[in-house]
Each structure stands twice: as structure tokens, then as C-alpha cells.
Amino acid sequence: MNNVTSPSRQGNARTIFNVTSGNFLEMYDFMVFGYYASAIAKTFFPGDDPFASLMLTLMTFGAGFLMRPLGAIILGAYIDRHGRRKGLLLTLGLMAMGTLTIAVMPGYATLGMAAPVLILLGRLLQGFSAGVELGGVSVYLSEIAPEGRKGFFVSWQSGSQQIAVIFAALLGLLLNHLLDKGQVTEWGWRIPFIIGCLIVPFLFWIRRMLEETEAFSQRKHHPTLRQVLRSVVRNWALVLAGMLMVVTTTVSFYMITAFTPTFGKTVLMMSDKQSFFVTLCIGVSNLFWLPVMGALSDRVGRRPLLLLFTLLMIATAWPVLHWLVNAPSFSHLLEAELWLSFLYGSYNGAMVVYLTEVMPADVRATGFSLAYSLATALFGGFTPAICSYLIHATGDKAMPGVWLSIAAVCGLAGTLLIQPLVKQYRARRLAEQAVSWP
């Protein structure tokens, strides 16, 4: 296992790259679906009402997240029993199948109602695999990280997502430069999905080079699915508090990435190129702040950052968007989104590693993945649809800021609740060990 746990900087960088590669594909596919929601709507959900068509597409986008909790439990239990490496290979394969389904599926004009149904199934398969991808990657990184550097290492789980955002945004800019709007709507939107399929063999090759983590290999007991479920049920309050913390991350992330192109084009009336450029800048900003704040959390602790940035998000989310929609411009959109990016990256850089630390070791992948998946399924994944509905229902274009503030309140509550729950869990474990001691 030396090449996995070696303190060598080159070895560490290579291992981080290998393990996060599949996470890149997972987020790339999700971002592409959000970026081309309008074109996908016309292909698979045609109708006389453009808003209704778009909402059906965004709901399909969100439906993929509903499968995440199921994937978290089933695939998370597989990872906790059979190993991090095997589980990460399995999730990559399932994600590739879902992506291929969307890339090659004929439209409504060819297949009728079968087309949107099959697209929905492709999204559900993607969601099932993604339910444990984030958890599996985060746990792997936390278990190979040198002492005192877990925050920095685990931050690259989210960092790989930002590389996917940057890549997808660059591809969007290129397509809008080479093709006219009609061509993108008719067939050009499929190109990013096809590219995603083409890089799958490379991702399989590099992920197969992973070795099992030493922490998992040295554990004598690997729980069965029943034991994993029993442990998760016993620690339901810990999972729920973790879910509240993740709500802040997942809502803010999907708002500033997946929803930004739609918000820029349909609400602020920006051009496609302007919206994609802002999204590109957000990805770069996120990629900078995540490892910086992950490393800072190694020095100052996780909780101070979590408390500070949830409070900042509560205080500034709506005012910033209110300022933007009352003076819409490209520069204002960029400034507003970069501020939200700073808040997201600073919070998430501390949150993800903290969640891997508080989950019980024997069900770490399942507990983390379930908390993450529940938050994404119930809140984050539907953020583009919720934001669009709130704007449509109230007429207030700044309403996404209210939704983001509510998400930040959830994160603040989870941060305050989780520490006493962890103390209760550890006290209970010590009591159980004392009773069973011969």
C-alpha cells in the first residue's frame, strides 16, 4: 500500500488525480444536462408553453437526485464491505451507462412518449451511481491523507467537480462559437454527452490503478448490508445533522453552476456566451477557494469556518441578487456569482472533510453518502427548478437568494447540532466497549 499512503508529494498528487477522475465525469454529466436544459426541453419535452417544457426538463434533472439515497445505501454498503476501490469502479460504470443513454437517445419526434421516459431512466441510473460517488471519493481521500492535511486532501473531491464545471463551460463557449443557436438546439447539445462517453475508457484505466486504502485493509470487521443499515438507523440523528450541513453546499453549488446559464439567459437576458463565461469563472473561483479553505480548516479547525460562512450566506445572498437584478449587466452578474462562489468554496472546503470525520468508521462511506444524497435529493438537485418556480410565482427575480439563505440556515443548524451528537455517539461506543471487555 506504500504507493497509496506514501508521503511523497508526487505520489499523493497522482493518487488524488486517480481517485477523483470518476467524480469529474459524474459532475460533468450533471452540469451538461443543466447547461443545455432549454435544448433538451425542445428535444424531449416539446410543447406550446416554453416555461412548462423547461420545468419538465429541470424536474427530470432533479429526478436523478431522488435515486441518490438508494444508491448511497446499496452502493455505500458495498463499499464499506468490499472496499473503496471496487466500489469506485462500479459507480463509474453505472454513470457511463446513464450518460450513453442520454447521448444517443432519439427525440420525441422519433420515439414519442418513450423518449422522455428513457431519458428519465438514464437520469435515474446516473443518480443511483452518483449517490455514493462523492462519499466513496471523500472517504478514500480522508483515509489516505497524511496527518494534519485531511482538509486539503478531501477538498479535491469538490475540486474535481470544479474542473468538470470549467471543462463543460469551455465546451459550451466553443460550441456556441462554432454553431449557431439553431444547430445547438437541434443536435449540438449532444456533443458534450458524447465527449463524456469517449473519455470513459481512460477514466476506467486510471481508476483501475487505485489500491485499497490501508485504513480499510487493516479493519478486521467489514459489515454486511444488514449491519450497515442497523448502524445507520442507530445513528439517524447524526446522519440528519450531516444532511442539514450538506444542504448549504448542494444548494449553493447547483445555484451558481447548473442554474447560472439558465438564470443568465432567461432572467437577465444575457447571451449564451456571457452566461457560459460567467460559469467558467465560477468554476475557476471554486477551484481556487476549495483547497485554500480546506487547508485553512486544517489549521484553524472546521467549525469556525462553517459558522462564519453560513452566517455570511444568510446575511448577503438575497441582497446581492437583489442588487444584481435591479442593475443587470455582465459585470454585475460576474461579481455577484464570484461572491457566492467565495462563500460556497469557503464553507465546502471545511464541511466535506468534517463530515468524513464525524461518521462512524465502519459505515463511513454509507453514512456520509446518505447524508449527502438526502440533502441533494430533497433540496440541491431541484434548486434550478425551485429557483425558476419562485421567480415565476412571485415575479421577484432575486428569489433564488431567499432559497440560498434558507439553505444556509440549515447548514448553521446542522453545524450547531452535530458536535453534541458526535460526543453522544463516542460516549455510547466507549460504554459498549467497556461492557464487552473480557
Side-chain angles (χ1 to χ4, degrees):
M1 305 295 172
N2 290 337
N3 65 323
V4 175
T5 58
S6 167
S8 125
R9 186 168 298 177
Q10 182 180 1
N12 286 338
R14 183 171 59 250
T15 302
I16 290 173
F17 173 77
N18 289 349
V19 72
T20 59
S21 59
N23 202 32
F24 163 88
L25 177 66
E26 182 258 334
M27 190 49 57
Y28 170 79
D29 291 337
F30 272 61
M31 288 300 98
V32 166
F33 198 99
Y35 291 169
Y36 297 97
S38 299
I40 293 172
K42 292 181 180 179
T43 303
F44 297 102
F45 303 95
D48 297 329
D49 186 349
F51 172 75
S53 181
L54 177 62
M55 283 299 293
L56 282 172
T57 304
L58 294 178
M59 292 298 286
T60 302
F61 176 80
F65 295 93
L66 295 177
M67 289 294 288
R68 285 195 173 203
L70 183 62
I73 293 172
I74 295 177
L75 297 178
Y78 179 88
I79 289 177
D80 281 325
R81 181 158 182 82
H82 297 285
R84 317 311 188 197
R85 177 183 179 275
K86 289 182 179 179
L88 291 175
L89 285 170
L90 176 60
T91 60
L92 179 59
L94 293 173
M95 176 60 66
M97 290 171 60
T99 303
L100 181 63
T101 299
I102 296 172
V104 302
M105 187 60 58
Y108 185 90
T110 302
L111 295 182
M113 281 301 299
V117 170
L118 292 172
I119 287 297
L120 177 61
L121 291 176
R123 287 289 298 144
L124 294 177
L125 184 58
Q126 285 183 323
F128 181 75
S129 65
V132 80
E133 174 71 25
L134 295 176
V137 169
S138 299
V139 168
Y140 192 102
L141 291 173
S142 72
E143 291 183 349
I144 67 167
E147 191 66 31
R149 298 191 68 198
K150 284 188 181 235
F152 177 73
F153 265 58
V154 177
S155 70
W156 288 104
Q157 176 265 106
S158 299
S160 66
Q161 296 178 348
Q162 312 316 313
I163 296 173
V165 171
I166 294 168
F167 183 70
L170 283 171
L171 191 56
L173 285 170
L174 180 63
L175 286 178
N176 279 278
H177 177 72
L178 297 177
L179 305 176
D180 60 42
K181 192 170 184 178
Q183 290 174 316
V184 172
T185 300
E186 185 177 351
W187 55 267
W189 65 266
R190 295 183 185 271
I191 294 176
F193 286 99
I194 294 172
I195 290 175
C197 294
L198 293 177
I199 65 175
V200 166
F202 170 70
L203 297 181
F204 264 111
W205 176 69
I206 60 177
R207 189 165 266 193
R208 281 178 61 86
M209 293 189 291
L210 290 175
E211 294 190 29
E212 191 51 75
T213 68
E214 187 174 350
F216 180 86
S217 298
Q218 291 181 348
R219 196 170 299 133
K220 295 180 179 179
H221 174 67
H222 298 144
T224 63
L225 175 60
R226 179 176 295 180
Q227 291 171 327
V228 167
L229 292 176
R230 187 183 303 125
S231 180
V232 168
V233 170
R234 289 185 65 193
N235 296 286
W236 67 268
L238 194 59
V239 173
L240 182 60
M243 183 200 78
L244 290 175
M245 293 178 65
V246 178
V247 167
T248 304
T249 277
T250 189
V251 168
S252 57
F253 176 74
Y254 285 105
M255 182 178 293
I256 65 177
T257 54
F259 184 61
T260 289
T262 300
F263 183 72
K265 289 183 288 186
T266 63
V267 177
L268 302 180
M269 303 305 169
M270 302 289 174
S271 70
D272 287 350
K273 290 182 180 180
Q274 288 175 321
S275 297
F276 276 118
F277 183 77
V278 170
T279 307
L280 171 64
C281 293
I282 292 169
V284 174
S285 173
N286 292 346
L287 184 59
F288 173 79
W289 288 116
L290 284 163
V292 168
M293 291 304 182
L296 182 62
S297 76
D298 287 329
R299 293 180 175 271
V300 304
R302 324 296 185 201
R303 278 173 59 84
L305 295 182
L306 296 174
L307 294 172
L308 172 62
F309 287 102
T310 49
L311 290 171
L312 279 175
M313 201 175 293
I314 293 168
T316 64
W318 184 83
V320 165
L321 287 187
H322 182 71
W323 165 76
L324 170 62
V325 300
N326 280 280
S329 68
F330 170 73
S331 61
H332 286 179
L333 176 61
L334 181 59
E335 291 167 18
E337 296 287 353
L338 287 178
W339 170 251
L340 297 179
S341 165
F342 167 65
L343 296 181
Y344 157 76
S346 300
Y347 176 83
N348 197 60
M351 189 280 298
V352 176
V353 63
Y354 187 59
L355 205 56
T356 66
E357 292 170 335
V358 300
M359 289 297 165
D362 56 341
V363 291
R364 184 170 289 146
T366 308
F368 180 101
S369 299
L370 186 58
Y372 216 107
S373 298
L374 286 171
T376 309
L378 299 176
F379 299 94
F382 287 98
T383 285
I386 290 170
C387 290
S388 295
Y389 173 77
L390 289 174
I391 294 170
H392 181 77
T394 66
D396 182 357
K397 298 176 182 178
M399 281 302 289
V402 175
W403 177 238
L404 183 53
S405 294
I406 293 171
V409 170
C410 292
L412 179 62
T415 302
L416 295 173
L417 289 170
I418 203 164
Q419 191 170 51
L421 290 171
V422 172
K423 289 180 179 179
Q424 291 176 18
Y425 165 75
R426 289 173 179 168
R428 187 173 70 243
R429 288 285 292 174
L430 287 173
E432 291 172 352
Q433 290 170 3
V435 170
S436 62
W437 191 261

